[in-house]
C-alpha cells in the first residue's frame, strides 16, 4: 500500500467518522434546542382572552364647561366563575361633526392610593377611547369593579357624548 493511498484512506475514514459524528449529534443537538424553545414558549405571556361583549352604562352629554367631572364605571360579577373584564370610557363626537381630538379633553383615573394619573386616549372615526388591554383584570365571583375617571373638557367648543362601559372576555 502506498503512502498516497494511506492518506486517501485516512482522509476517507476521518470524513466518515466526522459525518457519523454529525449525524449522531444532529438529533442530540435538536433535542437540546427543542426544550429551550419550549421553555421560551412556556414563559411567554398567554394570549389575551377573547372579547365577548360589552355592558353599556348610562351615557351623558359631554360637559360644556372646563370643570373636572367624575365618572364612575361599576360592574359586578354575578356569575359563579372568575371573569376577565376591562372598564372603558368612550367619548363620541356628534354624527355631523366636528370630530373630537384627544387634545379636546383631559382624562385621569383614580389609582388605588387615591391619587390621579393621566390616561391617554386613542382615537378612531371621531371617538376617543381608553385602551382595553391595559385595563383588563380578573373579577372573582361576586366581586365588584369600580373605576373612577375624571374628565375635563379643554376645548369649550367640543360637543359629544360620554359613554362608560365594561368589556367582557371569555
Amino acid at each position: 500500500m502506498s503512502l498516497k493511498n494511506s492518506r486517501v484512506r485516512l482522509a476517507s475514514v476521518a470524513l466518515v467518522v466526522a459525518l457519523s459524528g454529525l449525524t449522531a449529534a444532529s438529533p442530540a443537538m435538536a433535542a437540546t434546542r427543542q426544550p429551550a424553545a419550549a421553555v421560551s414558549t412556556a414563559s411567554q405571556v398567554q394570549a389575551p382572552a377573547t372579547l365577548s361583549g360589552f355592558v353599556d352604562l348610562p351615557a351623558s352629554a359631554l360637559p360644556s364647561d372646563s370643570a373636572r367631572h367624575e365618572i364612575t364605571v361599576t360592574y359586578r360579577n354575578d356569575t359563579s366563575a372568575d371573569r376577565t373584564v376591562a372598564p372603558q370610557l368612550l367619548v363620541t363626537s356628534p354624527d355631523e361633526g366636528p370630530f373630537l381630538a384627544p387634545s379636546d379633553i383631559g382624562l385621569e383615573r383614580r389609582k388605588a392610593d387615591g391619587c390621579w394619573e393621566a390616561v391617554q386616549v386613542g382615537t378612531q372615526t371621531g371617538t376617543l377611547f381608553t385602551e382595553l388591554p391595559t385595563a383588563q383584570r380578573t373579577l372573582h365571583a361576586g366581586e365588584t369593579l369600580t373605576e373612577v375617571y375624571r374628565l375635563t373638557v379643554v376645548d369649550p367648543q367640543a360637543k359629544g357624548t360620554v359613554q362608560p362601559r365594561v368589556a367582557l372576555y371569555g
Side-chain angles (χ1 to χ4, degrees):
M1 176 184 327
S2 73
L3 184 60
K4 187 175 181 182
N5 286 340
S6 294
R7 287 185 188 163
V8 170
R9 277 190 197 177
L10 184 59
S12 296
V13 169
L15 181 60
V16 168
V17 169
L19 290 176
S20 297
L22 284 178
T23 303
S26 289
M29 289 171 66
T32 57
R33 285 187 199 142
Q34 194 167 358
V39 168
S40 172
T41 302
S43 66
Q44 291 177 352
V45 176
Q46 292 180 350
T50 304
L51 181 63
S52 62
F54 291 94
V55 173
D56 291 327
L57 302 171
S60 61
L62 185 64
S64 59
D65 59 12
S66 59
R68 293 179 174 154
H69 297 270
E70 286 189 10
I71 300 162
T72 303
V73 177
T74 304
Y75 174 79
R76 181 171 174 77
N77 180 7
D78 288 329
T79 68
S80 60
D82 290 354
R83 172 157 237 175
T84 300
V85 300
Q88 186 176 48
L89 201 63
L90 304 175
V91 181
T92 56
S93 299
D95 290 339
E96 66 277 352
F99 288 148
L100 295 167
S103 60
D104 291 336
I105 66 167
L107 189 62
E108 300 168 289
R109 177 178 35 238
R110 188 178 323 173
K111 299 187 312 184
D113 65 3
C115 295
W116 294 95
E117 68 178 340
V119 176
Q120 298 297 315
V121 294
T123 182
Q124 183 175 358
T125 319
T127 300
L128 307 178
F129 57 90
T130 57
E131 297 288 339
L132 289 174
T134 56
Q136 284 185 17
R137 62 200 67 186
T138 300
L139 283 183
H140 300 294
E143 282 187 336
T144 299
L145 161 76
T146 301
E147 192 76 46
V148 181
Y149 294 94
R150 190 161 64 181
L151 176 71
T152 306
V153 177
V154 177
D155 179 359
Q157 303 301 315
K159 303 276 186 250
T161 304
V162 179
Q163 173 67 61
R165 64 185 187 171
V166 177
L168 305 175
Y169 294 85

